[in-house]
Amino acid sequence: MTIARRTRRRRTLAASATTALAVGLLSLGAAPAAHADTLPTLCNPAVDHTTTETLNVQVNPVITDFLIFNVAPGATGQHSETLTRVNSVTTTVDNRTEITASASVLFLKVEAKVGFSVQKTTSTTTSTTVSDTWNLNSPGRYGLYRGTRVVTGQYVNRVCAQTGGPNTGIWVTTSPSPGTFTTYEAPEIGSVVCAPAEPAGTVRRAAQLLISSC
């Protein structure tokens, strides 16, 4: 065997060993087999190091504070009221309320996914009581509310494992199962009446559904 052939054989064996190592890491830290998102596979170890990917992200409106208020004829105008707490939302990562710097990076990924700003620090809707003034200009049955859109989902952290040359690699998850997160949009305060129906999936529609006798 010539020196050139030996060198090529060594390189082939080294590349095969590196690929086997990456595949072994992938099997140890594989993402769950069933999820709604497709994660990219290939990466460049020269420029890609670590990344966080979000999975199974869901957005749901939640009413946190609410009051049914009846306005009689002749009693329209401004009304100052204090709402009753009916629900609460807290930012969490892996069921922990202490939000670290890495968790804040995760929430930036969440914002890119859902298309609106979310809480990225330790936060809860129970920190304040809702007292406000509503301008109610027509008689009727109103729902006074504070609510938000809650974002929940899973995430995985991944590293770029070299599989061949210096620019060839695959993303490998670093834990056997995904983590979880909960965050929410800045709450809104408003009022709704029974009709017309508000758009589905909005905070206003969620408040409207809480009005009885519509």
Side-chain angles (χ1 to χ4, degrees):
M1 183 182 291
T2 65
I3 295 176
R5 288 178 178 172
R6 289 173 182 166
T7 302
R8 284 196 297 271
R9 188 167 186 273
R10 289 194 187 102
R11 288 176 179 170
T12 300
L13 290 173
S16 298
T18 304
T19 301
L21 175 60
V23 172
L25 287 171
L26 185 61
S27 66
L28 288 174
H35 56 71
D37 305 72
T38 301
L39 301 178
T41 302
L42 301 179
C43 57
N44 183 348
V47 295
D48 299 321
H49 302 290
T50 62
T51 188
T52 299
E53 300 290 347
T54 58
L55 311 171
N56 304 319
V57 177
Q58 297 185 14
V59 179
N60 291 292
V62 171
I63 301 303
T64 60
D65 304 85
F66 188 73
L67 179 67
I68 292 176
F69 191 78
N70 293 302
V71 177
T76 59
Q78 291 189 338
H79 295 269
S80 297
E81 302 295 332
T82 298
L83 304 188
T84 300
R85 182 169 297 146
V86 296
N87 212 331
S88 64
V89 187
T90 302
T91 54
T92 63
V93 175
D94 298 327
N95 297 317
R96 293 193 295 269
T97 58
E98 185 63 31
I99 306 303
T100 63
S102 61
S104 295
V105 173
L106 165 64
F107 289 145
L108 288 174
K109 290 290 187 79
V110 172
E111 286 183 336
K113 175 82 73 172
V114 300
F116 56 82
S117 298
V118 299
Q119 305 297 315
K120 293 182 283 294
T121 58
T122 301
S123 182
T124 178
T125 59
T126 62
S127 59
T128 58
T129 299
V130 182
S131 295
D132 208 340
T133 299
W134 285 263
N135 194 25
L136 308 177
N137 292 322
S138 300
R141 191 172 182 82
Y142 288 82
L144 312 182
Y145 72 89
R146 179 177 71 163
T148 183
R149 287 187 288 180
V150 179
V151 185
T152 58
Q154 298 173 309
Y155 72 95
V156 290
N157 293 318
R158 307 204 292 166
V159 297
C160 184
Q162 186 175 336
T163 58
N167 299 317
T168 304
I170 58 173
W171 286 112
V172 177
T173 58
T174 57
S175 61
S177 59
T180 61
F181 66 84
T182 298
T183 186
Y184 59 97
E185 187 179 26
E188 66 175 72
I189 296 175
S191 64
V192 290
V193 291
C194 288
E198 298 290 342
T202 64
V203 174
R204 292 182 61 80
R205 179 56 178 165
Q208 195 173 48
L209 292 174
L210 293 179
I211 304 176
S212 59
S213 303
C214 280

